[in-house]
Every structure is written in structure tokens, then in C-alpha cells.
């Protein structure tokens, strides 16, 4: 399924870029608004240095409660996130990494036995295949087979966004989650910028306009996107900055769920039990939902369904609410979903990057990391 875009990206990441320092934007270094869980930090310490050196992602994409899950990493690159995930899913879980770039697949496959021994497993629980995430069927990924999909700054490198989300929906089990970081634009990218191979390789030419993500995901059948964190992207190269013009970019992490076709339109009162590893006191689900252990919270019908149908079902108590189903205000929804507004709120902007250190080696702009349990809407995108 090769195309000129695929070939250019393969050359860019397989030959031109030797380490993450060769990137011209901070897109590959989106700083998380909250610290990754302790278990992920400990797992990363065991990942081979060469795997980390070849890492080009947007910061760690580590959803909660992965023990025993079957996970697919779209655009797995050198395998860094896959190896973190392989430690978190445990010996009974499975992590599959798919990438179209031969050189990066070779790096990831080289260290399968190394990480098996590091984690103390009887056999490997990680598999890497070369292929295209727009055509997961060609890589042997069956329908309704996976608990979780992750991806890390790769959707912006692919020309057919709809095909990616359609395939993601197909291979997920009902209640499964697509948890992903990517690069988003403040407006629709004009065609002439999409033709520039460097702009595309940096993610700028193929970035999805953030509003289009909402309609695309829901049109395929996913839940509303839940925004987890975001940061502004800084363009280092003056020529790329000139080409971008008035378009700005942000890195955003979202989570989508494959929900049953028929859902009850009823709010619910949910109480978190404090049973998810590394989240005993509270579970930060997204920018607007932080569930404190033992504290009842009224959520809208879709969130109630997400929690009941997903792998989190056993971690909550559910009770019907006497309140009518919540009608989401369009302004409120825009605040929840815009990575630009959230990055403004957090004061997050990446100024330098070195992927060999854990917190992606990045510094934040003025304002630092702030509490994001309540986001208010004011100005901007």
C-alpha cells in the first residue's frame, strides 16, 4: 500500500533522522500535564538505550489498567512504548507493534529477547510487524480482537486519517479504547503545504485540524473524544516557521472508546473504588473527570456507558441518577476538546528535547504544570 507520502515518511524516519535531536519541531516531545504512573517510569528504566535513542513520539502514551490486556501500538517505531507496555500488561498480556519503516522495525525486533529477560518472562509477549496502520487486516490483525490501541505522533504522518480510525474501530473489542497522542493544527492545512516532504515528515503537513477529529471519530462510531493533556508545539527551524504562516500546532492526547450501538440515555452516579494500580487515591480520566476514591460523582450518559462497558467496569460502583440526561453545551464541549485551549490553560510549551531522559527531557514554558481538573473557556481556539 505504498504511496509517495509513505515513501517520503519512510525515508525521513528510516534514513534522514538518526536520533530525536534531528527533528525540527518539538512535536515529538509533548510534555505530559501529569506524571506518568510509577510503574511506567520503572519500566522505562529497563528499556534498551538504542530503542530510546530512536524514539520520535509525542511523549509516553500509557493508559491505565493494562494488566492482561492485548494492546496494539500503531506506528511503533523503535519499540520504546511497546516495551513499556509489555511490562505493564504482564506475562499474560500481549503487545503488538506495527510500523511501515523497515529500519525502525529492525531496531525494535533486535531487542525482544533482551526485554523478555529484563522483565523476567518465560517467553516474549511482544511482537513487531512491518505494515500500514491503514490496512491492519493485511498485517493479520483480526476484528474485535484487542483491548487497547495506542499511537504516538504518527496519525499526522498518514494521508488517510479516516482509514486509520476505521481500522482502529474494527480491531477493537466492544468497550475497547484507542488512546493516542498526535499533532493538531489550528486550521485546515492547505494543499500546497501537504506537498512539502519535510513539512510532512515533521508532522506539520499532515496534521489534522483539531475540530475535524471530533466529527471523524464520532462518524465512525467512537465515543466523544476525551482530551487528556496538551502542549503547544514550537517550530525550531525558521524556514519551516515561514512556510507554516499563521497556522499553529499543538500536541494533544485523546482517548476514544468503541461503544455498543444501543446505549441508555441516562446520567449515573459513579463511585471510584481506588482499585487501579498507581491510582489508589484518584483516577484522572481526562481533563474534566477526576474520580476521587469513595466520592460519588454524577456523570452524563456517555461517560457512564464508557465506564460500564470498558475495562474500568469493575473499578466503579454505579447507581442510576434521578437527574435527566445532560445536554452538552457546544461551548463547553469546545473547551473540553481543544488542545490549544488546554495548552493555554496549562501554560505548556516545549522548549528543548532529549528523549534519552524520562520526562522526555523537556522543559515547560511559563506557568508549568497546573491542575487541570476544571477547564474554563476563554478566547483562542
Amino acid at each position: 500500500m505504498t504511496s509517495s507520502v509513505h515513501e517520503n515518511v519512510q525515508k525521513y524516519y528510516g534514513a534522514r533522522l538518526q536520533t530525536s535531536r534531528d527533528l525540527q519541531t518539538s512535536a515529538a516531545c509533548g510534555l505530559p500535564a501529569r506524571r506518568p504512573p510509577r510503574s511506567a517510569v520503572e519500566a522505562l528504566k529497563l528499556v534498551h538505550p538504542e530503542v530510546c535513542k530512536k524514539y520520535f513520539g509525542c511523549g509516553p502514551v500509557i493508559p491505565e489498567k493494562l494488566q492482561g490486556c492485548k494492546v496494539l501500538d500503531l506506528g511503533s517505531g523503535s519499540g520504546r512504548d511497546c516495551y513499556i507496555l509489555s511490562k505493564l500488561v504482564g506475562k499474560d498480556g500481549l503487545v503488538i507493534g506495527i510500523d511501515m519503516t523497515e529500519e525502525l522495525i529492525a531496531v525494535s525486533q533486535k531487542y525482544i529477547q533482551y526485554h523478555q529477560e529484563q522483565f523476567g518472562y518465560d517467553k516474549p509477549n511482544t511482537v513487531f510487524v512491518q505494515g500500514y496502520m491503514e490496512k491492519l487486516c493485511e498485517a493479520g490483525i483480526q476484528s474485535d480482537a484487542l483491548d487497547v490501541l495506542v499511537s504516538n505522533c504518527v496519525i499526522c504522518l498518514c494521508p488517510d486519517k479516516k482509514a486509520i480510525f476505521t481500522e482502529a474501530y474494527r480491531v477493537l473489542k466492544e468497550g475497547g479504547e484507542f488512546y493516542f497522542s498526535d499533532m493538531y493544527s489550528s486550521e485546515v492545512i492547505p494543499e500546497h503545504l501537504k506537498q512539502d516532504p519535510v513539512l510532512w515528515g515533521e508532522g506539520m503537513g499532515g496534521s489534522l485540524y483539531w475540530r475535524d477529529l471530533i466529527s471523524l471519530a464520532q462518524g465512525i462510531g467512537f465515543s466523544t473524544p476525551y482530551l487528556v493533556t496538551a502542549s503547544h508545539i514550537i517550530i525550531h527551524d525558521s524556514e519551516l516557521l515561514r512556510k507554516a504562516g499563521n497556522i499553529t500546532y499543538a500536541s494533544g492526547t485523546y482517548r476514544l472508546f468503541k461503544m455498543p450501538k444501543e446505549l441508555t440515555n441516562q446520567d449515573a452516579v459513579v463511585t471510584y473504588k481506588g482499585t487501579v494500580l498507581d491510582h489508589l487515591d484518584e483516577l484522572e480520566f481526562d481533563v474534566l473527570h477526576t474520580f476521587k476514591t469513595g466520592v460519588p460523582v454524577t456523570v452524563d450518559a456517555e461517560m457512564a456507558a464508557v465506564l460500564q462497558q470498558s475495562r474500568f467496569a469493575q473499578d466503579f460502583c454505579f447507581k442510576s441518577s434521578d437527574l435527566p440526561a445532560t445536554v452538552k453545551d457546544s461551548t463547553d464541549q469546545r473547551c473540553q476538546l481543544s488542545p490549544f485551549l488546554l495548552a493555554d490553560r496549562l501554560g505548556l510549551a516545549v522548549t528543548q528535547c532529549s528523549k534519552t531522559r524520562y520526562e522526555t527531557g523537556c522543559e515547560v514554558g511559563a506557568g508549568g504544570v497546573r491542575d487541570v481538573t476544571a477547564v474554563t473557556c476563554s478566547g483562542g481556539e
Side-chain angles (χ1 to χ4, degrees), residues 26-32 36 55-62 80-81 84 151-153 179-182 229 251 253 353 355 358-360 362:
S26 63
C29 198
L31 186 68
Y55 176 72
F56 303 117
C58 291
V61 283
I62 311 295
R80 195 201 78 162
D81 287 353
I84 296 174
S151 78
N152 196 329
C153 209
Y179 188 97
F180 58 101
S181 291
D182 211 64
T229 185
S251 172
T253 300
C353 181
K355 298 273 198 336
Y358 182 60
E359 292 96 358
T360 62
C362 301

Side-chain angles (χ1 to χ4, degrees), residues 152-172:
N152 196 329
C153 209
V154 293
I155 296 174
C156 60
L157 300 176
C158 296
D160 192 345
K161 282 25 172 195
K162 184 176 181 180
I164 295 171
F165 285 95
T166 300
E167 277 291 84
Y169 188 87
R170 178 185 68 81
V171 301
L172 278 172

Side-chain angles (χ1 to χ4, degrees), residues 5 7 9 25 27-28 33 62 72 130 136 161 186 235 273 280:
V5 171
E7 290 174 356
V9 171
T25 74
I62 311 295
L72 173 64
Q130 187 174 358
L136 296 177
K161 282 25 172 195
S186 58
I235 301 171
K273 299 178 182 178
L280 303 183

Side-chain angles (χ1 to χ4, degrees), residues 64 272 276 279 281-285 289-291 312 316:
E64 312 86 355
Y272 174 51
V276 176
H279 304 275
D281 297 324
E282 64 180 25
L283 177 64
E284 293 183 55
F285 189 84
H289 297 91
T290 295
F291 301 103
F312 298 103
F316 286 84

Side-chain angles (χ1 to χ4, degrees), residues 4 243 302:
S4 59
K243 290 179 180 180
E302 185 183 61

